[in-house]
Each structure stands twice: as structure tokens, then as C-alpha cells.
Amino acid sequence: MMLRFDLPQRIPLFPLTGAVLMPRTKLPLHIFEPRYLQMLEDVLKTEHRLIGMIQPEGDGLSDIGCAGRVVAFSEGEDGRMMISLRAISRFRLDQVEDGFAPYIQGQIDWSGFKRDLRGPETDPDLHRPGFIDMLRRYMDAHELSTDWDAAEQAEDEMLVNSLAMMLPFDDAEKQALLQAQTLCERRALLEGLIEYSLRNGENEDRLQ
């Protein structure tokens, strides 16, 4: 990925429980709180247009988040903003800064995630027929739907990362998926979470 800007050492942070931005994906967001509308206004004036998506954890924030660049935005009649973030790179949060802005900002370390700035990853160990079959059983069990044609045709990374973002795992599980260093590790963890959920469902059926 060729960036036309330098990665800044400080970016605004958008803490959002259950929302993670995976490498080379996009995330749509509704912005409506006044402090985050101000954040968006300020971000659009910068060259980088980066917002750091990060999950709350305990009384603070997770150590790892992912920065997305605002690539599209539109305003609703009620003043809400609909934006699209394109993932640029994960980051480690060094320090939270409380300043004059109504939103929080963070001192960021990008050094551990240089792989995010390269091209898409592949997963040679992904057995797609078996993975899709397991995914179908999971989606049926949770009464979820998806575009199966698109899922079967998607590149390895887009399939795995999109599922890691959208499937209803808990916050800690989503954070673990985000922090997986490689696509292969993320896919293996994703398979484990799906298999665990399916086994739990089968055990509950036997007990009833």
C-alpha cells in the first residue's frame, strides 16, 4: 500500500465496544455524538484523515487498535454523518492524551505492524470447502444470513477478515482476532471459535 502521507504519532481515538477494523477492510460508521462529530470535522482537515478504532477494556482502552482513513462521508437530514473507514494499519496505543478537544487522542506506535502496509495476505492452509461448510452450520445455528456466492469467491484475506469483523463473537474474542499477527493465525483462531460455538450448541441440545 502506497501512502501519500506520513503516519502520524498522534491520532484521534474512537472507542467502540464490539467494533474492530481488520487490515485491508472497510468499516461503515454512523457518527452522531457531538464530540465525535467534532472529531470528524477536525480529521477531515488533516492530510491523513485517520481515526483510530479501539475497543474499551476495563477502565481504559485495549493496547491494540486499527487506524482507518475516512474515504467517504455523507450527512443526513438530522445532522448525523455516515462515514466509511478504510483500514490503513493496526497500532499499539502508547499513551492516551487528554487535551482541549472533546474527544480523546492517543500517542501511537506503528512499528509492530509493517505487514499491514503491504499487499493482501494469502492462506495456503485454508481448506475452503470445509471452512465454508462449517461456516454454513454456524450461520444456520445463529440464524444469520450471508451472500454465499460472494463468500465462496472472496479472496482468502477478505473472507477471513470480514468474518472476523461481522460474526457475533464477544469483545475479547474480536480483540484476539484483531491481534493475530498473520492471516493464517487469524483463520485458525476463527475456525476454533466457530467450532467451539458449534460444539457448545450441540451440548446444549443434548442437555435439553
PDB file of all heavy atoms in Angstrom, residues 88-100:
ATOM      1  N   ILE A  88      -5.870   1.214   7.403  1.00  0.00           N
ATOM      2  CA  ILE A  88      -4.514   1.542   6.980  1.00  0.00           C
ATOM      3  C   ILE A  88      -3.500   0.672   7.713  1.00  0.00           C
ATOM      4  O   ILE A  88      -2.684   0.001   7.100  1.00  0.00           O
ATOM      5  CB  ILE A  88      -4.207   3.035   7.220  1.00  0.00           C
ATOM      6  CG1 ILE A  88      -5.141   3.909   6.375  1.00  0.00           C
ATOM      7  CG2 ILE A  88      -2.743   3.338   6.919  1.00  0.00           C
ATOM      8  CD1 ILE A  88      -4.991   3.725   4.879  1.00  0.00           C
ATOM      9  N   SER A  89      -3.561   0.664   9.040  1.00  0.00           N
ATOM     10  CA  SER A  89      -2.625  -0.148   9.811  1.00  0.00           C
ATOM     11  C   SER A  89      -3.112  -0.277  11.244  1.00  0.00           C
ATOM     12  O   SER A  89      -3.722   0.636  11.793  1.00  0.00           O
ATOM     13  CB  SER A  89      -1.228   0.488   9.818  1.00  0.00           C
ATOM     14  OG  SER A  89      -0.346  -0.236  10.675  1.00  0.00           O
ATOM     15  N   ARG A  90      -2.817  -1.426  11.836  1.00  0.00           N
ATOM     16  CA  ARG A  90      -3.008  -1.560  13.273  1.00  0.00           C
ATOM     17  C   ARG A  90      -1.936  -0.745  13.997  1.00  0.00           C
ATOM     18  O   ARG A  90      -0.945  -0.338  13.403  1.00  0.00           O
ATOM     19  CB  ARG A  90      -2.923  -3.035  13.682  1.00  0.00           C
ATOM     20  CG  ARG A  90      -4.150  -3.849  13.268  1.00  0.00           C
ATOM     21  CD  ARG A  90      -3.935  -5.331  13.469  1.00  0.00           C
ATOM     22  NE  ARG A  90      -2.941  -5.842  12.526  1.00  0.00           N
ATOM     23  CZ  ARG A  90      -2.475  -7.092  12.544  1.00  0.00           C
ATOM     24  NH1 ARG A  90      -2.892  -7.943  13.477  1.00  0.00           N
ATOM     25  NH2 ARG A  90      -1.591  -7.483  11.642  1.00  0.00           N
ATOM     26  N   PHE A  91      -2.155  -0.517  15.261  1.00  0.00           N
ATOM     27  CA  PHE A  91      -1.216   0.269  16.055  1.00  0.00           C
ATOM     28  C   PHE A  91      -1.243  -0.204  17.497  1.00  0.00           C
ATOM     29  O   PHE A  91      -2.192  -0.848  17.943  1.00  0.00           O
ATOM     30  CB  PHE A  91      -1.555   1.763  15.989  1.00  0.00           C
ATOM     31  CG  PHE A  91      -2.936   2.107  16.515  1.00  0.00           C
ATOM     32  CD1 PHE A  91      -3.170   2.261  17.879  1.00  0.00           C
ATOM     33  CD2 PHE A  91      -4.003   2.270  15.641  1.00  0.00           C
ATOM     34  CE1 PHE A  91      -4.429   2.569  18.363  1.00  0.00           C
ATOM     35  CE2 PHE A  91      -5.276   2.577  16.112  1.00  0.00           C
ATOM     36  CZ  PHE A  91      -5.488   2.732  17.475  1.00  0.00           C
ATOM     37  N   ARG A  92      -0.181   0.142  18.217  1.00  0.00           N
ATOM     38  CA  ARG A  92      -0.150  -0.054  19.667  1.00  0.00           C
ATOM     39  C   ARG A  92      -0.333   1.315  20.322  1.00  0.00           C
ATOM     40  O   ARG A  92       0.320   2.288  19.942  1.00  0.00           O
ATOM     41  CB  ARG A  92       1.171  -0.678  20.121  1.00  0.00           C
ATOM     42  CG  ARG A  92       1.239  -0.928  21.636  1.00  0.00           C
ATOM     43  CD  ARG A  92       2.501  -1.688  21.997  1.00  0.00           C
ATOM     44  NE  ARG A  92       2.511  -2.997  21.385  1.00  0.00           N
ATOM     45  CZ  ARG A  92       1.883  -4.068  21.897  1.00  0.00           C
ATOM     46  NH1 ARG A  92       1.186  -3.957  23.033  1.00  0.00           N
ATOM     47  NH2 ARG A  92       1.940  -5.225  21.287  1.00  0.00           N
ATOM     48  N   LEU A  93      -1.244   1.381  21.278  1.00  0.00           N
ATOM     49  CA  LEU A  93      -1.513   2.628  21.973  1.00  0.00           C
ATOM     50  C   LEU A  93      -0.477   2.817  23.076  1.00  0.00           C
ATOM     51  O   LEU A  93      -0.430   2.053  24.029  1.00  0.00           O
ATOM     52  CB  LEU A  93      -2.924   2.609  22.558  1.00  0.00           C
ATOM     53  CG  LEU A  93      -3.356   3.827  23.365  1.00  0.00           C
ATOM     54  CD1 LEU A  93      -3.318   5.089  22.521  1.00  0.00           C
ATOM     55  CD2 LEU A  93      -4.753   3.608  23.946  1.00  0.00           C
ATOM     56  N   ASP A  94       0.351   3.833  22.921  1.00  0.00           N
ATOM     57  CA  ASP A  94       1.373   4.116  23.930  1.00  0.00           C
ATOM     58  C   ASP A  94       0.813   4.932  25.085  1.00  0.00           C
ATOM     59  O   ASP A  94       1.108   4.673  26.252  1.00  0.00           O
ATOM     60  CB  ASP A  94       2.549   4.874  23.299  1.00  0.00           C
ATOM     61  CG  ASP A  94       3.517   3.945  22.584  1.00  0.00           C
ATOM     62  OD1 ASP A  94       3.434   2.720  22.796  1.00  0.00           O
ATOM     63  OD2 ASP A  94       4.354   4.439  21.808  1.00  0.00           O
ATOM     64  N   GLN A  95       0.001   5.928  24.745  1.00  0.00           N
ATOM     65  CA  GLN A  95      -0.485   6.839  25.785  1.00  0.00           C
ATOM     66  C   GLN A  95      -1.742   7.553  25.307  1.00  0.00           C
ATOM     67  O   GLN A  95      -1.834   7.967  24.155  1.00  0.00           O
ATOM     68  CB  GLN A  95       0.590   7.874  26.123  1.00  0.00           C
ATOM     69  CG  GLN A  95       0.231   8.837  27.236  1.00  0.00           C
ATOM     70  CD  GLN A  95       1.363   9.802  27.518  1.00  0.00           C
ATOM     71  OE1 GLN A  95       2.502   9.597  27.095  1.00  0.00           O
ATOM     72  NE2 GLN A  95       1.061  10.874  28.231  1.00  0.00           N
ATOM     73  N   VAL A  96      -2.704   7.673  26.200  1.00  0.00           N
ATOM     74  CA  VAL A  96      -3.914   8.450  25.912  1.00  0.00           C
ATOM     75  C   VAL A  96      -3.651   9.900  26.282  1.00  0.00           C
ATOM     76  O   VAL A  96      -3.092  10.184  27.347  1.00  0.00           O
ATOM     77  CB  VAL A  96      -5.127   7.908  26.699  1.00  0.00           C
ATOM     78  CG1 VAL A  96      -6.337   8.818  26.532  1.00  0.00           C
ATOM     79  CG2 VAL A  96      -5.462   6.493  26.238  1.00  0.00           C
ATOM     80  N   GLU A  97      -4.048  10.803  25.420  1.00  0.00           N
ATOM     81  CA  GLU A  97      -3.860  12.227  25.663  1.00  0.00           C
ATOM     82  C   GLU A  97      -5.201  12.904  25.904  1.00  0.00           C
ATOM     83  O   GLU A  97      -6.124  12.776  25.098  1.00  0.00           O
ATOM     84  CB  GLU A  97      -3.178  12.896  24.458  1.00  0.00           C
ATOM     85  CG  GLU A  97      -1.716  12.555  24.312  1.00  0.00           C
ATOM     86  CD  GLU A  97      -1.056  13.431  23.260  1.00  0.00           C
ATOM     87  OE1 GLU A  97      -1.755  14.252  22.620  1.00  0.00           O
ATOM     88  OE2 GLU A  97       0.159  13.282  23.072  1.00  0.00           O
ATOM     89  N   ASP A  98      -5.316  13.586  26.998  1.00  0.00           N
ATOM     90  CA  ASP A  98      -6.471  14.440  27.264  1.00  0.00           C
ATOM     91  C   ASP A  98      -6.056  15.873  26.977  1.00  0.00           C
ATOM     92  O   ASP A  98      -5.174  16.410  27.621  1.00  0.00           O
ATOM     93  CB  ASP A  98      -6.942  14.306  28.720  1.00  0.00           C
ATOM     94  CG  ASP A  98      -7.516  12.923  28.997  1.00  0.00           C
ATOM     95  OD1 ASP A  98      -8.262  12.432  28.140  1.00  0.00           O
ATOM     96  OD2 ASP A  98      -7.205  12.344  30.049  1.00  0.00           O
ATOM     97  N   GLY A  99      -6.688  16.457  25.977  1.00  0.00           N
ATOM     98  CA  GLY A  99      -6.325  17.820  25.612  1.00  0.00           C
ATOM     99  C   GLY A  99      -7.537  18.721  25.605  1.00  0.00           C
ATOM    100  O   GLY A  99      -8.507  18.501  26.326  1.00  0.00           O
ATOM    101  N   PHE A 100      -7.479  19.723  24.763  1.00  0.00           N
ATOM    102  CA  PHE A 100      -8.571  20.678  24.689  1.00  0.00           C
ATOM    103  C   PHE A 100      -9.737  20.163  23.836  1.00  0.00           C
ATOM    104  O   PHE A 100     -10.842  20.682  23.912  1.00  0.00           O
ATOM    105  CB  PHE A 100      -8.059  22.009  24.115  1.00  0.00           C
ATOM    106  CG  PHE A 100      -7.065  22.682  25.016  1.00  0.00           C
ATOM    107  CD1 PHE A 100      -5.711  22.708  24.698  1.00  0.00           C
ATOM    108  CD2 PHE A 100      -7.477  23.278  26.203  1.00  0.00           C
ATOM    109  CE1 PHE A 100      -4.791  23.326  25.530  1.00  0.00           C
ATOM    110  CE2 PHE A 100      -6.565  23.894  27.043  1.00  0.00           C
ATOM    111  CZ  PHE A 100      -5.217  23.919  26.705  1.00  0.00           C
TER     112      PHE A 100
END
